[in-house]
């Protein structure tokens, strides 16, 4: 029995309540059958926790022991809530509320505000950073962009930990928290921020929880009304609950104990937002009679990946580490993890892109590959490397699938074709549902073959291709389904934010990768100062960094590559060291008992992995300073040093690039980025060698575009031969 990772998108709804339990392993079945009293599920990565709790809810509903409207399932992201609603619907348990804490609280606040307070609920502030900037200005405190972001995050932390402005300095000192500014200044800004919100009649997302808590505490009649509706609660990712969210959950529950929580202390990675695993770790103390079930059968990852994950946690310290779960892989053996050391970051990015291109050529879908890094600022060099290699990619955190313009347009077109039925000439030659969808979407830019390269054109095609694949799966699962049936399915998925898979390598931070999984994962930039991050000073902070890497490792199903660069820029001093977390795990790094024994992986160095010739440090050609930023390295000068760019040449290059992009069906930046064109216009290369020395002009682009670029630089229209001297 397995918790299938790759289940069909449209499984048949189980015919009976008992059929809901089919396919669950013994521990998952125990969860599903524990329908009353407090239940604590300790679920390791990849052990099918979502499967267990959705089948628990569905079994309760289908057996008549739970009323759908009486269940509130709470999780932490809209994506996770949407996935849960989708799974419950497929199990025949539609009507169950699955929401985030904020979504559930906002719904209650909007409904009860007129009764509890009167009038309309104040406007919800979408982004608080501008208001924080206004508050700082009122306090005559200057904040740069990074400080503004950090202070905003600090205010959010204060609010979810229920810390008022006046108490902030003392609480920070007591918690040994490293504040981004003088705590007294942050307290002053925080107080002014709250004042400005009142003056402007707005509330923020933290206020949604605070105000709901306030109403439930003060108005027992409203609290009783909510408790009469919701009799059973399920909380996913319970290790990430903040004190404020726990207070709201307690008020929802009242004196009842029909609560099921699911979590893993080893995946606590959001303490900077106020999340704490204490509520999970203390659950059995608060509920002595609780049913406790441990899920340790890992259905996601191979034994090799699981072995590394277990080894990583075996070195952990602290209370969360004392409750770690030893995973047991249920999959067949796969390749060992690969550890790769590169000379510098651009070489690491190019080597990663090359490996990904090889995986795709070997049959691994681009959508089943991810590059994960510690901070978002690391993404740029990988975006460039993937674009240069002709590999499609998508940035995690972009707009939701059903909110994309091309998806909305496709939905309108499909709805129109469904209404027209046989009167739509587009469908004359379409024999089945997938053919009808392909015919309709061909008018919106879908083609049988994807456009080359990446960027906006490819992104649009990938969105439409995802809809085509969804139609094919739908038709296989529901023979005889019509276009109208598919449109109804899309509407339900849009409402649940249950998006289909878009093909393209995922670029994501480790934090945003939580809850996701891929066939192949590349963990990059694993150096001291980045993993653990340099500002992780205390033992607790360092251990959270270890857990963050553990989350990254356990995202991989089959292929796992871990890499680091010895210097930031080409030719730089090789002063970096690989992450301390890899000691005893990567070959040749020493032994920690039995951790590194048996399938510890393969190790590669520099030239074998990167094949880039070492270069000296990149210096500004104007002032001579060492360059470290990617944009400055492209220009070969500091961003604020004077430019001697040939404006007319730059415009000719832009016109040429636009023509090339149209011809290739790619966005302009896939030909050359603006910075690369600026560098060419500044340096005016006369030979292939001079052109290839410009960052952003790799061998592939030199072969493809070099002759044209050199001809334009020489004042010609293009087509000149390359002189590689």
């Amino acid at each position: 029995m397995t918790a299938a990772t790759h289940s069909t998108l449209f499984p048949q709804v189980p015919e009976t309540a008992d059929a809901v339990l089919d396919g669950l392993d013994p521990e998952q079945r125990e969860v599903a059958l524990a329908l009353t009293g407090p239940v604590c599920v300790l679920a390791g990565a990849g052990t099918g926790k979502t499967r267990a709790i959705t089948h628990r809810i569905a079994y309760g509903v289908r057996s008549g022991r739970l009323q759908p409207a009486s269940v509130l399932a709470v999780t932490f992201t809209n994506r996770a809530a949407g996935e849960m609603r989708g799974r419950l619907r497929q199990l025949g348990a539609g009507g169950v509320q699955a929401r985030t804490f904020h979504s559930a609280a906002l719904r209650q606040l909007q409904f009860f505000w007129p009764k509890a307070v009167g009038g309309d609920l104040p406007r919800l502030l979408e982004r608080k950073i501008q208001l924080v900037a206004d508050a700082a200005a009122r306090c005559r405190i200057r904040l740069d962009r990074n400080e503004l972001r950090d202070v905003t995050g600090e205010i959010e932390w204060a609010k979810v930990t229920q810390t008022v402005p006046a108490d902030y300095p003392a609480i920070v000192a007591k918690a040994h928290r490293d504040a981004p500014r003088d705590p007294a200044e942050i307290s002053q800004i925080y107080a002014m921020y709250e004042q400005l919100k009142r003056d402007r009649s707005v509330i923020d997302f933290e206020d949604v929880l605070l105000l709901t808590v306030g109403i439930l505490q003060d108005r027992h009649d409203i609290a009783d009304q909510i408790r009469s509706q919701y009799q059973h609660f399920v909380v996913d990712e319970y290790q990430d609950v903040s004190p404020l969210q726990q207070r709201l959950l307690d008020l929802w529950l009242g004196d009842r104990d029909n609560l099921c929580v699911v979590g893993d202390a080893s995946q606590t990675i959001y303490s900077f937002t106020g999340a704490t695993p204490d509520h999970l770790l203390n659950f059995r103390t608060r509920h002595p009679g609780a049913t406790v079930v441990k899920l340790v059968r890992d259905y996601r990852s191979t034994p090799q990946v699981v072995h590394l994950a277990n080894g990583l946690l075996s070195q952990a310290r602290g209370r969360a580490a004392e409750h770690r779960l030893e995973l047991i892989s249920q999959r067949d053996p796969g390749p060992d993890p690969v550890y790769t050391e590169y000379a510098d970051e651009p070489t690491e990015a190019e080597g990663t892109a090359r490996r990904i291109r090889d995986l795709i050529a070997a049959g691994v879908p681009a959508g089943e590959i991810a590059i994960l890094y510690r901070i978002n600022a690391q993404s740029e060099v990988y975006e460039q490397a993937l674009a240069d290699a002709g590999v499609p990619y998508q940035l995690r955190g972009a707009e939701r699938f059903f909110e994309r313009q091309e998806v909305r347009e496709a939905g309108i077109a499909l709805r129109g074709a469904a209404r027209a039925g046989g009167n739509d000439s587009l469908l004359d030659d379409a024999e089945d549902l997938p053919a009808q969808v392909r015919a309709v979407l061909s008018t919106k830019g879908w083609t049988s073959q994807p456009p080359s390269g990446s960027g906006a054109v490819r992104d649009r095609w990938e969105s439409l291709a995802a809809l085509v694949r969804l139609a094919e799966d739908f038709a296989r699962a529901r023979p005889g389904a019509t276009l109208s049936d598919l449109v109804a399915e899309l509407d339900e998925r849009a409402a649940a934010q249950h998006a289909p898979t878009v093909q393209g390598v995922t670029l994501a931070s480790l934090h945003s990768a939580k809850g996701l999984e891929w066939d192949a994962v590349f963990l990059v930039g694993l150096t001291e100062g980045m993993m653990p991050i340099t500002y992780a000073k205390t033992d607790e902070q360092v251990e959270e960094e270890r857990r963050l890497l553990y989350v990254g490792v356990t995202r991989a199903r089959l292929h796992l590559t871990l890499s680091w660069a010895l210097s930031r820029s080409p030719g730089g001093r090789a002063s970096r060291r690989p992450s301390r977390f890899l000691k005893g795990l990567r070959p040749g790094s020493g032994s920690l008992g039995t951790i590194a024994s048996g399938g510890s992986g393969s190790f590669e160095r520099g030239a074998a992995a990167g094949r880039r010739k070492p270069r000296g440090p990149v210096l500004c050609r104007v002032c001579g300073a060492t360059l470290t930023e990617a944009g400055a390295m492209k220009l070969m000068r500091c961003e604020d040093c004077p430019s001697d760019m040939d404006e007319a040449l730059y415009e000719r290059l832009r016109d040429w690039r636009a023509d090339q992009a149209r011809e290739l069906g790619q966005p302009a930046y896939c030909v050359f980025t603006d910075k690369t064109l600026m560098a060419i216009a500044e340096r005016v290369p006369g030979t292939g060698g001079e052109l290839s020395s410009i960052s952003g002009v790799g061998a592939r682009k030199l072969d493809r575009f070099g002759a044209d670029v050199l001809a334009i630089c020489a004042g010609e229209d293009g087509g000149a031969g390359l002189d590689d001297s």
Side-chain angles (χ1 to χ4, degrees):
M1 291 181 288
T2 66
T5 299
H6 293 291
S7 60
T8 175
L9 286 172
F10 300 99
Q12 294 296 317
V13 175
E15 293 183 2
T16 65
D18 287 342
V20 172
L21 303 177
D22 291 347
L24 298 182
D25 69 28
E27 294 79 24
Q28 293 169 345
R29 189 182 181 93
E30 185 179 354
V31 172
L33 291 173
L35 293 176
T36 58
V39 179
C40 180
V41 183
L42 301 175
T47 57
K49 67 178 179 65
T50 305
R51 178 180 175 85
I53 59 176
T54 52
H55 281 68
R56 176 184 185 270
I57 296 170
Y59 176 72
V61 169
R62 297 290 300 277
S63 64
R65 296 173 64 184
L66 300 179
Q67 294 302 312
S70 73
V71 180
L72 178 59
V74 186
T75 188
F76 281 80
T77 66
N78 288 316
R79 182 199 61 80
E83 180 185 355
M84 190 177 289
R85 286 193 294 270
R87 290 200 192 192
L88 289 169
R89 184 165 57 89
Q90 291 166 354
L91 291 170
V96 172
Q97 292 291 313
R99 296 182 174 275
T100 64
F101 270 103
H102 283 88
S103 172
L106 180 60
R107 203 164 181 231
Q108 293 171 14
L109 195 60
Q110 289 170 330
F111 184 81
F112 289 110
W113 184 268
K115 179 179 180 180
V117 181
D120 295 329
L121 181 69
R123 179 174 60 86
L124 183 62
L125 192 65
E126 292 292 336
R127 297 179 70 248
K128 59 172 66 71
I129 197 163
Q130 183 57 55
L131 201 59
V132 174
D134 293 346
R138 290 280 187 96
C139 296
R140 301 184 183 278
I141 298 173
R142 297 192 58 173
L143 301 177
D144 63 27
R145 185 172 60 182
N146 291 330
E147 289 175 322
L148 181 59
R149 185 186 66 238
D150 291 343
V151 170
T152 300
E154 202 66 6
I155 290 174
E156 291 174 351
W157 174 84
K159 298 187 73 167
V160 300
T161 55
Q162 303 176 82
T163 302
V164 299
D167 294 342
Y168 173 79
I171 295 295
V172 165
K174 183 179 179 181
H176 304 289
R177 186 173 177 84
D178 189 13
R181 293 276 300 208
D182 180 350
E185 288 185 335
I186 293 178
S187 174
Q188 190 179 357
I189 296 170
Y190 178 14
M192 180 57 69
Y193 168 78
E194 292 296 314
Q195 180 62 50
L196 289 178
K197 283 200 290 101
R198 289 190 292 270
D199 293 345
R200 300 177 187 183
S201 297
V202 295
I203 59 175
D204 60 27
F205 277 99
E206 290 71 41
D207 290 331
V208 170
L209 301 184
L210 285 164
L211 291 169
T212 306
V213 164
I215 288 174
L216 294 182
Q217 286 180 159
D218 295 342
R219 293 290 300 266
H220 298 293
D221 56 330
I222 293 176
D224 289 342
Q225 191 172 340
I226 290 175
R227 290 167 191 160
S228 68
Q229 176 176 353
Y230 295 119
Q231 306 290 325
H232 299 270
F233 296 85
V234 177
V235 184
D236 195 10
E237 305 289 2
Y238 193 56
Q239 76 279 351
D240 291 331
V241 166
S242 71
L244 178 57
Q245 290 166 333
Q246 180 63 46
R247 181 63 186 136
L248 177 59
L249 179 61
D250 289 340
L251 288 166
W252 281 341
L253 273 167
D255 58 1
R256 300 164 301 171
D257 63 359
N258 277 328
L259 170 66
C260 174
V261 301
V262 190
D264 178 9
S266 296
Q267 296 188 68
T268 305
I269 59 174
Y270 297 111
S271 68
F272 61 91
T273 67
T276 170
D278 289 347
H279 305 297
L280 176 67
L281 298 177
N282 295 337
F283 191 84
R284 282 170 287 186
T285 302
R286 294 185 65 189
H287 304 278
T291 299
V292 179
V293 184
K294 292 183 179 181
L295 303 183
V296 296
R297 302 176 197 244
D298 188 316
Y299 298 97
R300 176 187 300 158
S301 305
T302 63
Q304 286 77 8
V305 173
V306 167
H307 178 79
L308 173 55
N310 286 336
L312 188 60
L313 280 192
S314 72
Q315 306 176 41
R317 300 293 179 266
R319 191 176 179 214
E322 294 170 3
H323 294 79
R324 63 178 175 267
L325 299 167
E326 186 85 8
L327 299 178
I328 304 170
S329 176
Q330 306 298 299
R331 293 193 57 176
D332 292 334
D336 285 336
V338 176
Y339 301 83
T340 310
E341 183 175 278
Y342 292 95
D344 52 69
E345 287 184 5
T347 304
E348 184 180 10
E350 290 174 10
T352 300
R354 189 162 47 248
R355 288 181 183 276
I356 288 174
R357 192 172 58 195
D358 292 343
L359 280 175
I360 294 173
V364 179
E368 291 295 348
I369 303 174
I371 299 175
L372 306 181
Y373 34 76
R374 178 60 180 83
I375 59 174
N376 287 320
Q378 293 172 272
S379 74
E380 181 183 2
V381 67
Y382 290 94
E383 292 178 60
Q384 183 68 58
L386 291 173
D388 287 346
V391 175
Y393 66 86
Q394 55 180 333
L395 283 170
R396 175 77 185 153
E399 63 183 329
R400 297 178 184 175
F401 180 82
F402 288 104
E403 293 173 3
R404 298 176 189 174
Q405 181 178 350
E406 64 269 22
V407 174
R408 292 199 302 267
E409 292 174 353
I412 292 170
L414 290 169
R415 188 169 286 104
R419 281 199 301 267
N423 297 322
D424 192 331
S425 59
L426 265 177
L427 308 181
D428 286 349
D429 298 323
E431 297 179 355
D432 55 18
L433 176 59
Q436 292 175 342
V437 172
R438 287 191 289 266
V440 173
L441 297 189
S442 66
T443 66
K444 298 299 176 183
W446 180 83
T447 56
S448 59
Q449 294 298 319
S452 58
S454 58
V457 172
R458 180 63 182 248
D459 288 347
R460 181 181 178 88
W461 184 90
E462 292 289 359
S463 297
L464 299 177
L467 292 174
V468 170
R469 289 192 298 273
L470 191 72
E472 292 167 349
D473 288 328
F474 189 68
R476 279 194 295 270
R478 311 275 171 85
T482 66
L483 199 53
S484 295
D485 296 330
L486 177 64
V487 168
E489 172 67 24
L490 290 175
D491 287 342
E492 290 194 31
R493 281 175 165 261
Q497 287 300 327
H498 187 198
T501 302
V502 176
Q503 289 303 322
V505 173
T506 299
L507 291 171
S509 71
L510 285 163
H511 281 101
S512 67
K514 179 76 170 64
L516 303 175
E517 59 186 78
W518 296 270
D519 283 343
V521 169
F522 290 79
L523 299 174
V524 300
L526 301 181
T527 60
E528 285 291 307
M530 192 60 74
M531 177 54 66
I533 198 75
T534 185
Y535 51 76
K537 303 293 187 184
T538 67
D539 291 344
E540 292 81 4
Q541 291 168 339
V542 170
E543 286 305 315
E544 180 153 337
E545 292 288 298
R546 187 194 307 276
R547 294 194 295 269
L548 187 57
L549 181 57
Y550 171 80
V551 166
V553 167
T554 55
R555 300 310 95 192
R557 299 190 190 109
L558 181 61
H559 304 280
L560 178 62
T561 300
L562 306 93
S563 65
W564 59 92
L566 298 178
S567 69
R568 179 173 185 177
S569 55
R573 189 164 63 92
S575 58
R576 291 177 169 179
R577 292 180 293 122
S579 170
R580 73 188 74 171
F581 299 145
L582 302 182
K583 184 174 177 58
L585 299 177
R586 62 183 176 89
S589 63
S591 176
L592 292 174
T594 59
I595 295 172
S597 65
S600 58
S602 60
F603 177 65
E604 299 176 355
R605 287 187 189 278
R611 298 201 294 272
R612 175 194 282 260
K613 294 181 180 179
R615 297 201 295 250
V618 181
L619 304 178
C620 174
R621 55 192 171 81
V622 179
C623 70
T626 299
L627 302 176
T628 57
E629 297 298 330
M633 290 167 65
K634 278 185 182 295
L635 296 175
M636 294 291 289
R637 63 171 174 82
C638 302
E639 296 272 7
D640 53 357
C641 279
S643 169
D644 54 357
M645 183 176 70
D646 183 331
E647 296 282 356
L649 173 57
Y650 179 65
E651 290 305 319
R652 290 199 302 275
L653 287 168
R654 282 176 58 88
D655 291 343
W656 166 83
R657 182 182 66 173
D659 291 340
Q660 291 291 323
R662 279 193 295 272
E663 183 177 327
L664 296 171
Q666 297 180 358
Y669 76 79
C670 286
V671 179
F672 286 119
T673 64
D674 285 345
K675 285 284 177 61
T676 300
L677 290 190
M678 289 173 66
I680 293 170
E682 288 185 355
R683 298 173 66 184
V684 194
T687 67
E690 292 175 356
L691 180 58
S692 66
S693 69
I694 296 174
S695 178
V697 185
R700 189 176 65 87
K701 291 193 176 183
L702 184 67
D703 290 342
R704 192 169 192 176
F705 305 123
D708 281 358
V709 171
L710 290 175
I712 294 169
C713 289
E716 304 169 12
D717 291 333
L722 277 176
D723 177 6
D724 289 319
S725 60

